[in-house]
Amino acid sequence: MDDRDAARALQHLHRELRRRGLHELRDHLAGALESSDGGGRNDLITTLRAFTVDVELRHLGTSIAVLRRIGEVAEIPGGGAPSALMLDLAPAHQNLVGADSVQLGGEGDFTETLARLGELIAALRSDGEDPSGGRSVDPAPVPA
Amino acid sequence: MSIDLDDARRAIDDILDSYRDAARTDTAESLLPERLTTGKAYEAWVLCEVLERLHHDEGCDIRLVGSDAVRLKSSGGPINRSYAHFVATRRSDSRQFEVWTDVEFSALSAALEGRSGASLSRCDYHELDIVIVPAGTWGRPNPAELLVGVECKNLDYQKDMLRSLLGVRRELSFLQDPRPTAFRRWPRASVPANPPSCLLAYGTDPNIIDFADPGRVFGIDFHFEPLGSS
């Protein structure tokens, strides 16, 4: 896929986000382009990576992983892993949701979405690799 | 594997369909601004990293105190000792640290002008996502009590975030020849700062590493910390 088609695919993504009423997500993903190296394919990959991070942060699996990791290194009252990952709310937010706190990670199991995002990013990366064996247009993530 | 425009469009449609099917809109969490909930989820992810480093690298035993749940706050404030937090006890010397989230520290400029406690105005304190302080610290830690401050950014790392962090460093300590920190190995054994606090920035954006150069001068450590639950 060349840069021009990738730019069209990105337009399709933004159009679909708007059509589905996902305006906050669309704005967030548009902001992510500020860190792109430019070019249609890089822009599309940068956007899909930002989408992946957003989904991971709302994914049930992430909060489960947080509780498991903490349970592995910390002693918890009652033993095992912590019982929940809670967000205690300021008064303005309490009024908004009608509760003092909410449990983070309850917005859904996005395992399939994350898998599909990963497949598309991998396909775009693979598609952009230099047939001569050179470096991909898209820089690999910096290791932690 | 080659992909054309039609393949990409179909893949995007499938992604958004599965996203719609999975997303629950009937939860209290879904009523909150997405930036708040995702930011807090990332804070929790980095909290895991901090606790693991204290345990494995610094040799600390860690206990959750005050609750059997991990509790974050949607807005910062002073240390409230009745609130849930972690106590880390270093096995080699029994020194105790406490790990708190969403805590405001009192600024160096306020201390220099003699303001503390009730006389602090809102420009005299700043929130950090995660802090490590000596056991027993209460209220807003002053710069000498703030042993580690951590900022977490799940957004694309921008230059204004670097400027903000440099401002936090300014309000924590003077630039000075390296001095020993309270730690043997992690986060640092020494830092060019007095008081010798450690300041860490974690982000999901690989570009965060591009901002590391001024951090080397002022004692700020930048870490790319992606999520990886699935």
Side-chain angles (χ1 to χ4, degrees):
Chain A
M1 172 178 286
D2 61 19
D3 273 348
R4 197 167 150 189
D5 277 352
R8 286 176 174 156
L10 183 56
Q11 285 172 358
H12 177 76
L13 172 60
H14 280 270
R15 197 164 45 242
E16 283 300 307
L17 288 167
R18 189 170 55 241
R19 191 176 70 78
R20 294 163 192 249
L22 299 168
H23 303 295
E24 191 176 352
L25 177 59
R26 182 175 173 273
D27 290 346
H28 168 57
L29 298 185
L33 285 180
E34 289 184 36
S35 66
S36 171
D37 292 334
R41 222 173 56 80
N42 279 333
D43 284 352
L44 180 55
I45 290 173
T46 299
T47 300
L48 292 170
R49 276 195 193 140
F51 193 0
T52 302
V53 170
D54 187 276
V55 173
E56 279 180 322
L57 287 169
R58 303 200 296 125
H59 176 39
L60 177 65
T62 300
S63 61
I64 291 171
V66 164
L67 298 175
R68 175 185 51 74
R69 288 176 70 187
I70 291 177
E72 285 171 357
V73 295
E75 183 185 326
I76 310 298
S83 60
L85 177 57
M86 303 299 298
L87 176 61
D88 292 337
L89 301 173
H93 293 130
Q94 290 177 13
N95 293 337
L96 186 65
V97 304
D100 295 342
S101 61
V102 298
Q103 189 163 341
L104 286 175
E107 284 193 87
D109 182 346
F110 293 97
T111 304
E112 185 182 338
T113 309
L114 288 167
R116 289 179 185 273
L117 277 163
E119 286 167 9
L120 180 54
I121 291 170
L124 288 165
R125 271 195 193 143
S126 165
D127 198 40
E129 279 174 359
D130 180 352
S132 67
R135 185 171 174 268
S136 166
V137 177
D138 173 51
V142 179
Chain B
M1 179 168 57
S2 184
I3 182 169
D4 64 20
L5 178 57
D6 286 338
D7 293 336
R9 282 178 172 151
R10 271 194 298 276
I12 287 167
D13 290 343
D14 288 346
I15 287 165
L16 292 175
D17 286 345
S18 71
Y19 179 84
R20 179 200 57 207
D21 292 345
R24 291 182 57 202
T25 55
D26 59 343
T27 64
E29 184 183 354
S30 66
L31 296 172
L32 294 168
E34 188 181 317
R35 182 166 284 202
L36 171 67
T37 54
T38 56
K40 290 298 165 183
Y42 188 59
E43 190 178 303
W45 188 258
V46 175
L47 176 64
C48 295
E49 174 72 10
V50 168
L51 297 175
E52 286 170 353
R53 291 290 189 146
L54 280 174
H55 181 70
H56 296 300
D57 297 355
E58 193 63 16
C60 291
D61 291 328
I62 298 171
R63 283 183 298 127
L64 174 60
V65 174
S67 174
D68 66 351
V70 177
R71 308 194 79 92
L72 306 173
K73 288 180 275 187
S74 69
S75 62
I79 288 176
N80 172 356
R81 299 207 59 80
S82 66
Y83 203 79
H85 60 282
F86 291 90
V87 175
T89 305
R90 191 160 55 201
R91 288 187 288 276
S92 60
D93 60 2
S94 300
R95 184 167 179 181
Q96 285 198 325
F97 308 103
E98 290 175 353
V99 183
W100 297 83
T101 58
D102 311 300
V103 162
E104 294 162 346
F105 71 94
S106 62
L108 187 60
S109 59
L112 292 172
E113 294 199 327
R115 293 189 300 278
S116 63
S119 69
L120 293 174
S121 63
R122 65 178 180 166
C123 62
D124 289 332
Y125 49 83
H126 305 283
E127 182 186 347
L128 286 164
D129 293 328
I130 300 169
V131 301
I132 302 178
V133 295
T137 302
W138 59 276
R140 293 188 175 96
N142 62 44
E145 293 170 322
L146 201 293
L147 305 178
V148 179
V150 182
E151 282 284 85
C152 313
K153 295 291 180 195
N154 61 301
L155 307 167
D156 306 292
Y157 210 82
Q158 306 288 340
K159 202 168 177 180
D160 61 336
M161 297 173 182
L162 171 67
R163 285 197 294 266
S164 167
L165 206 55
L166 289 168
V168 169
R169 173 44 96 194
R170 168 75 282 184
E171 285 287 28
L172 277 175
S173 49
F174 296 106
L175 177 63
Q176 199 158 82
D177 289 338
R179 300 167 67 91
T181 69
F183 303 94
R184 306 276 167 82
R185 295 177 64 181
W186 187 90
R188 276 169 171 252
S190 68
V191 66
N194 180 24
S197 53
C198 304
L199 187 56
L200 315 176
Y202 285 86
T204 56
D205 182 352
N207 294 323
I208 190 173
I209 302 301
D210 295 346
F211 296 88
D213 287 351
R216 273 194 288 278
V217 174
F218 292 106
I220 307 169
D221 297 316
F222 291 83
H223 299 279
F224 168 50
E225 179 66 23
L227 292 111
S229 61
S230 54

